[in-house]
Amino acid sequence: DKIGLDTYEEFCKKWLEYGEKKARIAISELPDGEYAFEDYMDDDGAGGGRVLIKTKVIIKGDQITFDFTGSAPQNRGPHNCVPCALKATVYYAMLSILDKSIPANSGFFDSIDIVAEPVEESVDVFKIACLSIIAVCSIATVVVLATGKKKKD
């Protein structure tokens, strides 16, 4: 009651704009270019062999894109990654290498584009294991190594 709903909504809008602005400034300090990295998990946890995780990171000015096209498809084991978990992992990894004062809000999230092959609709996601800590760590490693924590000179 002290500040009112309009003031609160304006603050929220400004806070999201601030998050995006800080993120874009930090991204613009990374060198422009395309960077690629790939890694394998030892197996899918169900006897299906190694699992490829690859990304291409494209940085141009204050824009950054993570393209996971070509990573292993869904498998029977516990190392699948649903889209929201992939996004959360990329955001987590980016927060670890960018300015620590960037707020983790949707303004920050909007500064990052993520491309990944869609989840197969024919697969019942409740019958497959969706994520493991191994997959999260592997994805975070790929993201951090692909970006290289390099700053423009």
Side-chain angles (χ1 to χ4, degrees), residues 50-121:
R50 296 185 340 151
V51 179
L52 173 65
I53 301 172
K54 66 186 278 184
T55 189
K56 178 169 60 171
V57 180
I58 303 148
I59 303 170
K60 186 172 182 182
D62 66 355
Q63 301 285 121
I64 190 165
T65 301
F66 292 88
D67 186 347
F68 288 90
T69 302
S71 291
Q74 288 174 295
N75 61 65
R76 295 181 314 119
H79 303 313
N80 292 292
C81 189
V82 293
C84 63
L86 176 63
K87 288 177 182 180
T89 303
V90 170
Y91 300 152
Y92 165 79
M94 287 300 293
L95 283 170
S96 77
I97 64 172
L98 296 178
D99 177 354
K100 304 296 185 252
S101 69
I102 298 171
N105 63 28
S106 63
F108 164 69
F109 305 152
D110 289 346
S111 71
I112 300 168
D113 294 317
I114 301 171
V115 176
E117 296 177 30
V119 175
E120 296 176 33
E121 291 184 27

